[in-house]
Amino acid sequence: MIERHFGIGVLLLLLASPSLAQTVPAVTIAGGDGTETYSLSVQVLLFMTVLSVLPALMLSMTSFTRIIIVLAILRQAMGTPQTPPNQVLVGLALFLTLFVMTPVMQDAYDTAVEPYIAGEVAAGEAIEAVLDPLRNFMLAQSREADLELFVELAGSGDFETPDDIPLTILMPTFLTSELKTAFQIGFLVFIPFLIIDLVVASVLMSMGMMMLSPMLISLPFKIMLFVLVDGWSLLIGTLAASFFGA
């Protein structure tokens, strides 16, 4: 079952199949005696190109951006810039992204990957079908104001249906909306820790302890507060709900 959920991630790699490569002519060059055909495989070139671009595209079209930014703001608000380490935050963000995107990936697998493997649809139709769930997800998370901004910047007219919006407009719209939402959530996360810092700093100043760093005193209180309110479960649940409730 887990392997099926990764169908969306490997679909574009599967589409670089011999049937697709046969439709692309090999590299040719005109010599003195005529045109000579070389045996350079276009399929390998497509595979390597997709392999290098796919991670960035997938992270830009999923919930990863919002999650990793909120986790980074949380770490900064707690005053522990190295704890949890980057590897832990990225790993948590990736698995939480997998959890959030599972319905989208399952839909893409059922409507595109499985029919393509069964030979029921062509490669071009499979690509269009696999993009539909991602398009719907990005549209659901995008703000109308951001969409209007990029439509105006692109000089495009009004689109009759959401399916007419090209990815060149939808992707920056989605990323901009995700950044706004992430910083809004991060602001709410930052407030309780900021209040603790202000209280500790005021108490230290009133006691005349000017040379003692407020961060040194406030850090245990912030960690204790975060543990007492079950902060990780609360934050992760809020992040997941922010996608499902859109």
Side-chain angles (χ1 to χ4, degrees):
M1 189 65 179
I2 297 298
E3 288 79 1
R4 293 181 60 190
H5 290 165
F6 284 96
I8 179 65
V10 300
L11 172 65
L12 295 180
L13 301 182
L14 292 175
L15 293 181
S17 62
S19 61
L20 179 61
Q22 290 174 1
T23 63
V24 183
V27 178
T28 59
I29 184 172
D33 299 333
T35 301
E36 183 179 357
T37 302
Y38 287 84
S39 60
L40 180 60
S41 176
V42 179
Q43 179 181 352
V44 175
L45 294 178
L46 292 176
F47 178 83
M48 297 303 298
T49 301
V50 170
L51 189 62
S52 61
V53 178
L54 183 60
L57 289 179
M58 294 306 299
L59 294 181
S60 301
M61 299 168 67
T62 62
S63 58
F64 180 83
T65 301
R66 181 189 305 185
I67 295 172
I68 192 62
I69 290 177
V70 172
L71 293 178
I73 292 177
L74 169 67
R75 185 174 64 176
Q76 194 68 27
M78 292 184 64
T80 55
Q82 302 298 329
T83 306
N86 292 331
Q87 293 86 344
V88 174
L89 287 187
V90 173
L92 178 59
L94 284 174
F95 282 106
L96 188 55
T97 299
L98 178 62
F99 171 78
V100 173
M101 299 299 297
T102 293
V104 180
M105 292 188 294
Q106 185 65 53
D107 189 12
Y109 181 89
D110 294 338
T111 59
V113 180
E114 191 172 17
Y116 176 76
I117 295 177
E120 299 175 358
V121 296
E125 297 178 357
I127 293 176
E128 294 179 359
V130 80
L131 289 177
D132 287 339
L134 281 175
R135 180 188 297 274
N136 295 333
F137 172 80
M138 290 190 291
L139 280 174
Q141 306 300 327
S142 299
R143 302 170 187 265
E144 185 176 353
D146 296 330
L147 181 59
E148 293 177 354
L149 171 64
F150 283 99
V151 169
E152 182 180 355
L153 292 176
S156 302
D158 296 334
F159 298 100
E160 297 181 358
T161 63
D163 295 336
D164 297 333
I165 302 176
L167 289 178
T168 54
I169 294 179
L170 184 56
M171 289 184 62
T173 300
F174 171 74
L175 283 175
T176 303
S177 299
E178 286 294 281
L179 290 174
K180 288 183 179 180
T181 304
F183 276 94
Q184 288 177 350
I185 299 176
F187 172 78
L188 298 177
V189 171
F190 211 106
I191 291 299
F193 301 107
L194 178 61
I195 294 176
I196 294 178
D197 287 333
L198 292 176
V199 171
V200 171
S202 300
V203 171
L204 291 178
M205 290 184 62
S206 63
M207 296 176 62
M209 305 175 67
M210 309 293 294
M211 302 301 295
L212 184 61
S213 173
M215 295 295 298
L216 183 63
I217 305 300
S218 64
L219 180 59
F221 290 99
K222 291 190 287 188
I223 295 178
M224 181 182 64
L225 172 66
F226 194 70
V227 172
L228 289 177
V229 301
D230 197 9
W232 287 113
S233 298
L234 184 62
L235 179 64
I236 291 175
T238 302
L239 281 173
S242 67
F243 293 100
F244 294 121

